[in-house]
Amino acid sequence: MKITSIFSRYLLGLIFTVFGLNGFLNFIHQPPPANPLAIQFLVSVSESHFAAFFFAIQLLGGLLLLSGYFVPLALTVLAAELYNILAFHLTLAPASIAPALVASVLWVLVFVQYRESFKGIFRAKPATQS
């Protein structure tokens, strides 16, 4: 399982690093979505430069996963990214959801290896400092 987690961490890190860089450098050209609402959403997000925040977090999370440092932090910020990506594809572009599902499975495989780091956030009454 550890080999699977390491492979998944590198692959997920590579995916988010490449697509984070692509947001700034635009070297992977993608056709526009078929749904006019999806086009309107993407235009408003990119024209307002709000997308730069998404791409910066993707790049940061991807680089952290590739480096092996602060992996729980990377998993936390990338979970929010994956949520937004899945929400977009479920509501506006369901035909192209496969890559988002693959990234989600990879995220879960990495999370399983680092689940002890998240133990405290799943407690109903967490311990406090006195």
Side-chain angles (χ1 to χ4, degrees), residues 3-19:
I3 300 288
T4 304
S5 177
I6 292 171
F7 178 76
S8 298
R9 179 171 59 88
Y10 282 126
L11 187 56
L12 190 63
L14 185 64
I15 289 169
F16 276 107
T17 300
V18 167
F19 283 101

Side-chain angles (χ1 to χ4, degrees), residues 87-110:
F88 171 81
H89 285 288
L90 284 171
T91 58
L92 297 171
S96 60
I97 197 169
L101 292 175
V102 169
S104 298
V105 168
L106 291 171
W107 185 94
V108 168
L109 290 172
V110 178

Side-chain angles (χ1 to χ4, degrees), residues 3-65:
I3 300 288
T4 304
S5 177
I6 292 171
F7 178 76
S8 298
R9 179 171 59 88
Y10 282 126
L11 187 56
L12 190 63
L14 185 64
I15 289 169
F16 276 107
T17 300
V18 167
F19 283 101
L21 282 172
N22 185 55
F24 294 111
L25 305 176
N26 199 22
F27 51 85
I28 302 172
H29 301 287
Q30 298 179 7
N35 186 344
L37 287 175
I39 295 171
Q40 185 179 3
F41 174 77
L42 292 174
V43 167
S44 64
V45 167
S46 65
E47 291 294 321
S48 67
H49 303 291
F50 192 69
F53 293 101
F54 292 128
F55 296 129
I57 291 296
Q58 286 180 8
L59 182 58
L60 174 68
L63 290 173
L64 288 174
L65 286 177

Side-chain angles (χ1 to χ4, degrees), residues 75-92:
L75 288 174
T76 302
V77 297
L78 291 178
E81 287 284 331
L82 280 170
Y83 173 81
N84 283 311
I85 292 167
L86 286 169
F88 171 81
H89 285 288
L90 284 171
T91 58
L92 297 171

